[in-house]
Amino acid sequence: METQDKATVRIVASPKTWIEGEAVQQLERTATLPGMIAAVGMPDLHPGKGSPIGAAFVSEGRIYPHLVGNDIGCGMALWSTDLPQRKLKLERWADRLGDLDGRWDGDVEAFLAERTVAPTDHDASLGTIGGGNHFAELQQVDAIEDAEAWATLGIAADSLVLLVHSGSRGLGEAILRAHVDRFAAAGLGSAGEDAREYLRAHDGAVAWAQANRALIARRFADALGVELAPVLDVCHNAVVPCPDGAPQRWLHRKGAAPSTAGIVVIPGSRGTLSYVVKPDPSRAEAGWSLAHGAGRKWRRSDVKERLQGRYRPDDLVRTALGGRVICEDRELLYEEAPEAYKKIDAVVGDLVAAGLCTVVATLRPVLTYKTRSRR
């Protein structure tokens, strides 16, 4: 990418892919920020609080914390398990999972120290999933499209895998709030001490979020009595030096998976497939990024009104694919219904058609944990 007077705005999506007008407007407004070089929307683009989700932004000389958002380090992590697909025991497993929302009773300080992660004031939340679209989900292999790429992951085709989506919980919120209290939505000169201070806190939150996903997986596995092996962990909310190596250029991702970190998982909803994809890491015009999920189609505030006449809560704890859902928060159960999301097949299809990735495999949700907290 070359420096230019006006930022490039691009949306990676086919004409058939519906993207809300407000999300496009947010993308275009963000492109006008000082120092912005490019604003790239993915096919899962949807409106956020001031700036869109499902986008990558390249800037020069300035860092914009609000473009990372309050869940710094949020991402997807995948583990293989020793559970065979042929022995599904959904109700028994659901009962054994119990409550993963409460504070972990282990030694948090030691757990973080093992990963060289500094302790924080938010460590009581370590190992908890959080709300919104976060989850821990057992999945089974649905189909393998690229056997050679799949083999590099070391996952047996007949075993279940665990996918965890979570972030830095209240830690990222505190870091963003500290910035907003001083600078509002203004960016920071990337060569200054304020930017360096933010980046130190940011990098700590990214590491904390990764540790959080690892502890969620451990709690999940311990409850079921299974063994785990890590496969990948990919962050989709972060700011990093631009992959082109240009000095003082920064790549912000807000709900955008990196194409520069190897194979990634792009989940659908709890009622659709997830895709394991192999990115092309060279695609600068796409902000070196991919979609991070299906992307919301309906606003959270609208979902229950749309669906409560069609579904009772009991209907929503089973999916069309035969999966079991643990979500005792009635509002969240509706908000996260599969119908509230875009079609993941179309989202990934747009990425493939644009040459940004190829499909390695698809995964089918089996048991999705959201929350035991009642509301």
Side-chain angles (χ1 to χ4, degrees), residues 74-371:
C74 187
M76 304 284 176
L78 185 70
W79 285 263
S80 62
T81 80
D82 60 353
L83 284 173
Q85 294 189 78
R86 66 182 180 277
K87 294 185 178 180
L88 297 181
K89 301 173 183 177
L90 298 188
E91 292 305 322
R92 182 185 300 181
W93 292 343
D95 289 342
R96 291 178 66 177
L97 276 173
D99 185 356
L100 301 182
D101 301 276
R103 183 170 184 165
W104 183 49
D105 59 6
D107 189 337
V108 171
E109 186 174 349
F111 186 87
L112 290 173
E114 289 172 6
R115 290 156 179 78
T116 63
V117 178
T120 76
D121 293 337
H122 300 270
D123 293 348
S125 297
L126 194 76
T128 61
I129 295 168
N133 60 354
H134 294 165
F135 61 83
E137 186 171 84
L138 275 179
Q139 301 178 330
Q140 66 183 47
V141 180
D142 178 70
I144 296 173
E145 304 292 340
D146 183 340
E148 183 177 354
W150 176 260
T152 66
L153 299 177
I155 302 172
D158 62 348
S159 68
L160 297 177
V161 298
L162 176 64
L163 182 66
V164 174
H165 176 205
S166 191
S168 55
R169 307 292 277 113
L171 176 58
E173 171 68 31
I175 293 169
L176 180 63
R177 178 52 52 195
H179 168 78
V180 170
D181 286 348
R182 292 182 63 194
F183 303 102
L188 302 171
S190 58
E193 180 55 33
D194 289 326
R196 287 192 289 271
E197 181 181 344
Y198 170 76
L199 288 172
R200 284 192 293 270
H202 165 281
D203 293 350
V206 170
W208 195 98
Q210 187 172 12
N212 186 44
R213 289 187 287 275
L215 185 51
I216 292 167
R218 175 171 167 177
R219 296 181 74 181
F220 197 107
D222 287 349
L224 298 188
V226 303
E227 296 295 325
L228 297 178
V231 177
L232 59 86
D233 188 299
V234 177
C235 169
H236 53 237
N237 282 3
V239 56
V240 297
C242 203
D244 63 8
Q248 298 304 320
R249 276 196 185 172
W250 298 90
L251 172 59
H252 307 69
R253 294 186 177 105
K254 189 174 187 181
S259 64
T260 51
I263 290 174
V264 302
V265 180
I266 304 177
S269 69
R270 67 192 185 213
T272 61
L273 300 178
S274 294
Y275 280 78
V276 181
V277 302
K278 181 180 178 181
D280 179 347
S282 69
R283 301 299 292 275
E285 75 277 14
W288 297 276
S289 299
L290 303 172
H292 80 308
R296 291 198 70 85
K297 180 174 64 176
W298 297 340
R299 295 175 184 270
R300 292 186 177 277
S301 58
D302 296 338
V303 178
K304 188 173 181 181
E305 183 178 350
R306 286 174 177 264
L307 295 182
Q308 64 181 350
R310 295 167 54 189
Y311 301 115
R312 299 169 301 164
D314 287 350
D315 298 328
L316 296 175
V317 299
R318 290 283 182 178
T319 74
L321 296 179
R324 173 74 161 83
V325 179
I326 300 170
C327 183
E328 296 180 1
D329 180 331
R330 186 167 176 165
E331 298 298 320
L332 186 62
L333 186 63
Y334 278 97
E335 289 172 3
E336 289 292 296
E339 289 87 345
Y341 285 86
K342 300 178 186 181
K343 294 184 181 300
I344 187 62
D345 300 347
V347 168
V348 174
D350 284 351
L351 298 174
V352 172
L356 302 186
C357 65
T358 57
V359 175
V360 174
T362 50
L363 306 173
R364 179 183 296 262
V366 171
L367 178 61
T368 306
Y369 186 98
K370 298 288 289 184
T371 184

